[in-house]
Every structure is written in structure tokens, then in C-alpha cells.
């Protein structure tokens, strides 16, 4: 199964032809609306190979409502065998949110970092708390880097403390 903001596509393998009148894709939106053929979208079934079919449910409108979508797929072949599966996906069109950035000290205490702030202690790490409305934060594509006045990266190690808290521990504390 594959989905996009415009369609749900299902590839079906069967040695028997499909009984297209008894096949369906039903989508339940985050606000509880139910879409099926002729109501929220159009179902089409095309044979792509001798034993393979592409069943596509094209939405009447591009999906814009964020949240969890439930998909029910039901297929019946010419000898009345039925297969039914349920799937779900989250539509998340919002960017992640940086809730706060703080600096940390040798005793593991932290204070929020404000633009233009002056810190009068050695800084051992910088951390940020991040969140996303409908999805988990992807640690492989999230970065926290510290630069000096010459625009050079200050060496350190990035670690995830929790699912939403990333820390950049400096190789050497900042003391100036």
C-alpha cells in the first residue's frame, strides 16, 4: 500500500481475476468522516501484469487535515475469496517545533538561552527540546551545532537524551 495527499494505491497479486464490484477502499479521516467510492474519492482498478492489479482510490480533494487516517482495503477475486486489511497513516504538514534551547554546566544544571544573554560560567553543553504535532522527531535529520565568532564549528558530540531532547556536549567547555 502507498499513500499520498492525493491517493491511496494498493498492489494486489492474485492468479484469479478480481470481482471489482466487491472491492473497496474506505478511508476514515481524523475528524471521523468516511470516504469510499463516490463519496470523497473515486476507486479504479487496473491490471498491471497478468497476476497483478493496481487498485487506486483518488481523493476528490488533496488531503490537508492533519492527523491519523484509517484505511480499510477489501478485495474479492472471481472465486469469491476475500482479503481485508486495515492500515493507518499520520498526515503531518507542520514543521517540528524548537520549544527551548538551554546551556548546561558541569553539575548538569541548565538555564534557558535567550538571544543576547551573558553567561558567567563555563558551558559544557547546549541542548534543545523539540516536538512535533503528529510525528516523532527524526534523529537522523535533526542537528544542533555551535559556532564561534569566526563561524567555525565548536567541536562536540551530539546525543539524544530523550525522544525530544537533543544535547551537544562540547569537547572542551566554553570559558570565554
Amino acid at each position: 500500500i502507498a499513500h499520498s495527499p492525493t491517493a491511496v494505491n494498493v498492489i494486489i497479486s492474485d492468479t484469479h481475476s478480481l470481482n471489482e464490484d466487491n472491492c473497496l477502499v474506505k478511508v476514515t479521516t481524523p475528524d471521523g468522516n468516511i470516504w469510499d467510492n463516490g463519496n470523497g474519492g473515486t476507486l479504479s482498478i487496473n491490471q498491471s501484469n497478468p497476476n497483478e492489479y493496481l487498485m487506486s482510490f483518488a481523493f476528490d480533494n488533496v488531503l490537508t487535515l492533519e492527523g491519523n487516517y484509517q484505511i480499510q482495503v477489501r478485495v474479492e477475486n472471481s472465486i469469491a475469496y476475500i482479503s481485508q486489511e486495515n492500515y493507518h497513516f499520520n498526515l503531518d504538514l507542520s514543521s517540528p517545533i524548537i520549544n527551548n534551547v538551554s546551556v548546561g554546566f558541569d553539575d548538569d544544571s541548565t538555564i534557558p538561552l535567550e538571544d543576547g544573554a551573558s553567561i558567567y560560567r563555563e558551558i559544557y553543553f547546549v541542548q534543545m527540546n523539540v516536538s512535533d504535532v503528529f510525528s516523532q522527531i527524526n534523529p537522523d535529520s535533526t542537528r544542533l551545532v555551535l559556532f564561534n565568532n569566526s563561524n567555525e564549528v565548536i567541536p562536540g558530540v551530539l546525543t539524544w537524551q530523550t525522544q525530544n531532547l537533543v544535547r551537544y556536549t562540547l569537547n572542551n567547555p566554553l570559558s570565554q
Side-chain angles (χ1 to χ4, degrees):
I1 188 165
H3 58 81
S4 72
T6 59
V8 172
N9 297 306
V10 183
I11 296 175
I12 300 146
S13 296
D14 199 324
T15 56
H16 300 281
S17 62
L18 296 184
N19 181 352
E20 294 184 19
D21 292 336
N22 290 333
C23 296
L24 77 88
V25 173
K26 181 170 75 172
V27 178
T28 304
T29 65
D31 58 359
N33 289 317
I34 296 176
W35 298 342
D36 54 18
N37 192 28
N39 176 32
T42 304
L43 181 66
S44 64
I45 300 173
N46 295 300
Q47 189 167 3
S48 51
N49 289 313
N51 296 326
E52 191 173 270
Y53 299 85
L54 174 63
M55 188 162 69
S56 182
F57 182 75
F59 302 123
D60 289 343
N61 298 299
V62 173
L63 299 183
T64 57
L65 180 63
E66 294 182 306
N68 187 273
Y69 286 78
Q70 304 293 322
I71 302 171
Q72 178 186 42
V73 177
R74 182 180 184 276
V75 179
E76 181 178 312
N77 68 11
S78 60
I79 57 172
Y81 286 153
I82 296 171
S83 178
Q84 181 171 312
E85 297 289 332
N86 295 305
Y87 304 92
H88 70 91
F89 68 92
N90 285 317
L91 181 63
D92 182 0
L93 303 172
S94 302
S95 297
I97 300 164
I98 299 173
N99 298 310
N100 62 55
V101 177
S102 56
V103 293
F105 309 107
D106 60 344
D107 62 359
D108 215 35
S109 64
T110 62
I111 60 169
L113 186 60
E114 309 248 345
D115 190 32
S118 296
I119 309 293
Y120 298 102
R121 294 176 61 182
E122 286 188 325
I123 297 173
Y124 282 74
F125 59 89
V126 177
Q127 65 186 24
M128 68 178 172
N129 182 286
V130 294
S131 61
D132 200 321
V133 177
F134 294 106
S135 302
Q136 294 182 346
I137 301 295
N138 182 347
D140 296 328
S141 62
T142 302
R143 303 285 182 257
L144 173 60
V145 180
L146 199 57
F147 294 92
N148 63 20
N149 289 339
S150 301
N151 208 27
E152 300 166 328
V153 174
I154 299 173
V157 177
L158 186 70
T159 56
W160 284 87
Q161 304 298 297
T162 66
Q163 182 176 330
N164 293 57
L165 184 65
V166 62
R167 180 180 285 185
Y168 188 73
T169 304
L170 304 170
N171 290 353
N172 297 302
L174 293 179
S175 57
Q176 298 182 22

